[in-house]
Amino acid sequence: LIDTIAASKHISHHIHLPFQSGNNRILKEMNRVYTREKYLELVKLVRKYVPDATITTDIIVGFPGETEENFEETLDVVRQVGFTSAYTFIYSKRTGTPAAAMENQVDPDEVKRHFDILLKEVQEISAKKAKELEGRVMEVLAEEQNTQDASLITGRLSNNSVVHFPGTPDMIGKFY
């Protein structure tokens, strides 16, 4: 599948790979069927076949029993992969789920601290990735008129990066 993505001009070079946590014990308790190592192997395959791919993810902070070391493993995966962006979530206790009944619920202040650290790291990596695109000429799909400035059109590159450029509404739906 990855080589098909790489070879096609009709498939975006953006891949969303949720990883949730960088710690194998936490992943197992979340009922995930992969390990940190398998996840990183998959990322290596993506990078091999689609080197210009942007990778986004989902991360949960504060799952019951998460320790400082577990959180550091999550940060390590974030740094190794260099996600373009991440949907970051604070674990929320939901009645009736196995996790809600687990002991070792993480202190909310500790969860907030970890979340803030994670968010800062993801934002710094994302800004660096965006900066790497500056000055390049790339094909963009015009998607909509910019809501902040009517003289601009908002579009997406093949790697799912959002860009804003001068234009008019009649450009929407076309490549430039």
Side-chain angles (χ1 to χ4, degrees):
L1 178 63
I2 294 173
D3 55 340
T4 302
I5 293 169
S8 176
K9 293 183 179 185
H10 304 289
I11 300 175
S12 173
H13 285 191
H14 165 250
I15 299 172
H16 186 75
L17 289 175
F19 87 97
Q20 311 296 340
S21 172
N23 176 265
N24 289 336
R25 178 185 57 81
I26 297 289
L27 288 170
K28 186 175 182 178
E29 289 177 9
M30 288 179 168
N31 290 318
R32 301 306 187 256
V33 295
Y34 54 89
T35 63
R36 165 196 176 96
E37 293 76 20
K38 289 288 183 193
Y39 184 89
L40 291 171
E41 284 176 29
L42 181 56
V43 169
K44 282 183 184 176
L45 275 175
V46 169
R47 298 278 188 232
K48 177 180 177 180
Y49 288 99
V50 192
D52 66 334
T54 55
I55 301 174
T56 57
T57 195
D58 300 333
I59 307 168
I60 297 174
V61 175
F63 192 81
E66 183 181 68
T67 65
E68 187 71 29
E69 292 77 23
N70 301 153
F71 174 70
E72 287 297 329
E73 288 179 285
T74 296
L75 278 180
D76 181 60
V77 171
V78 168
R79 291 174 183 136
Q80 282 189 58
V81 175
F83 297 105
T84 306
S85 69
Y87 296 97
T88 53
F89 303 94
I90 291 176
Y91 162 78
S92 58
K93 193 174 183 177
R94 298 206 177 142
T95 305
T97 63
M102 290 179 176
E103 293 185 19
N104 299 326
Q105 298 290 322
V106 182
D107 176 69
D109 291 336
E110 188 70 2
V111 174
K112 175 77 169 96
R113 186 179 72 78
H114 285 172
F115 184 79
D116 291 344
I117 291 168
L118 174 65
L119 196 58
K120 182 175 185 245
E121 187 72 31
V122 168
Q123 288 172 338
E124 286 174 1
I125 292 169
S126 182
K128 180 182 170 196
K129 296 278 184 185
K131 191 91 172 144
E132 291 171 1
L133 297 176
E134 272 185 26
R136 291 183 58 193
V137 176
M138 301 174 74
E139 187 173 57
V140 60
L141 172 61
E143 291 188 326
E144 64 185 2
Q145 192 166 20
N146 186 287
T147 57
Q148 307 285 319
D149 182 342
S151 71
L152 298 176
I153 295 295
T154 298
R156 288 188 191 269
L157 304 176
S158 69
N159 66 11
N160 203 44
S161 294
V162 175
V163 294
H164 309 286
F165 55 97
T168 56
D170 61 310
M171 297 171 75
I172 295 170
K174 299 174 187 149
F175 287 93
Y176 294 90

